[in-house]
Amino acid sequence: MASESNVPVVHFYPASPYAFKLLLALGLKGIAFDSHLVAPIPPRKATQTLANGHRRIPVLQLGNELFCDTASALAALEARFKESPSLTPSLAGTLTATAYAAWADKIVFPATAALLPWEHLPAAFRADRAIMSARDPSTFGCRSHGDVLVRELQSQSQSGDGVERIRMGDFVAVSPDDYGKVQITGRLLYLSETQVVIQHQVHEGDEFWTALYFPRSGYVVSKRDSASKL
């Protein structure tokens, strides 16, 4: 782990394409970082403890702040390391990159992943990804990429949340709107049209807490009873 709070720590496993994107950004910006290597499938005890069960990889850590999506991580690098070369030095570049990333992450990646030779991958990995995608492990990897595209588009069109009823300090749940819909709970610290930040008490009765950052796009935010079990 990093000895200085301003040194980024990347929680990742080397085969993750999203981790590769984040590591590439760090390299392009010339930012030194520490690594916390995790397994391709859970459990990932240290990462999930800090991020309250969040299972997607990579996670970018800056002190007690954890950026739990590549989009949030890249935005944090741009905002926190202004002395380094910008990945999108103009407004037009930022808008183009945002649109391209949404298309690549939501459309291209699911279709491409469906074409992998799943039958040759480890059984434990296939079973984990089937559960993450809410699919039958016995048939996972056998569907056409067209079927996957329809499923992903339907998932996105049906997603929604009730943020208009949420106030700062409320106990909320944040979850992806496509796959791996694990609900991450905490106290709402910040909410805007582009970002949501929640506070996670790492250990009950302990003063140590983490701030978990998620983009608004691609995630659902809902109010929860702080006493409820998720």
Side-chain angles (χ1 to χ4, degrees), residues 14 17 32 47 60 62 65-66 68 83 86 94 100 120 129 131 145 149 152-153 156 162 186 188 202 213 220:
T47 304
L60 176 69
L62 291 171
E65 297 176 292
L66 281 82
C68 300
E83 72 284 358
S86 175
T94 299
Y100 183 81
H120 299 301
R129 292 310 189 264
I131 293 171
H145 76 268
L149 276 172
E152 295 299 330
L153 290 171
Q156 294 170 43
L188 185 63
V202 176
Y213 289 71
V220 175

Side-chain angles (χ1 to χ4, degrees), residues 29-213:
K29 291 179 72 65
I31 301 173
F33 64 94
D34 286 348
S35 299
H36 176 68
L37 295 179
V38 301
I41 60 176
R44 305 174 182 127
K45 185 175 181 180
T47 304
Q48 290 181 296
T49 297
L50 292 173
N52 199 18
H54 177 70
R55 59 156 295 155
R56 288 190 171 187
I57 294 298
V59 171
L60 176 69
Q61 181 179 357
L62 291 171
N64 73 327
E65 297 176 292
L66 281 82
F67 300 85
C68 300
D69 185 278
T70 312
S72 287
L74 294 176
L77 293 180
E78 287 287 88
R80 307 293 179 87
F81 296 88
K82 295 184 180 297
E83 72 284 358
S84 66
S86 175
L87 298 172
T88 54
S90 68
L91 176 59
T94 299
L95 295 175
T96 301
T98 301
Y100 183 81
W103 171 75
D105 292 347
K106 293 290 188 179
I107 303 299
V108 176
F109 179 76
T112 304
L115 301 177
L116 291 174
W118 289 98
E119 65 276 10
H120 299 301
L121 297 178
F125 183 83
R126 294 201 311 269
D128 176 73
R129 292 310 189 264
I131 293 171
M132 189 176 180
S133 303
R135 299 176 188 170
D136 183 352
S138 65
T139 60
F140 183 69
C142 299
R143 303 184 180 190
S144 70
H145 76 268
D147 185 27
V148 173
L149 276 172
V150 171
R151 185 178 185 278
E152 295 299 330
L153 290 171
Q154 288 176 339
S155 173
Q156 294 170 43
S157 65
Q158 294 168 0
S159 64
D161 55 24
V163 293
E164 69 279 357
R165 300 186 300 273
I166 297 175
R167 300 291 182 267
M168 298 303 110
D170 283 348
F171 195 77
V172 301
V174 181
S175 63
D177 66 4
D178 46 13
Y179 63 91
K181 297 182 179 181
V182 177
Q183 294 187 330
I184 309 304
T185 59
R187 294 286 177 187
L188 185 63
L189 294 178
Y190 178 78
L191 180 67
S192 71
E193 292 182 352
T194 60
Q195 185 171 244
V196 56
V197 186
I198 63 175
Q199 181 186 46
H200 164 52
Q201 204 74 29
V202 176
H203 298 292
E204 191 172 344
D206 194 337
E207 293 185 0
F208 179 66
W209 56 273
T210 55
L212 310 180
Y213 289 71

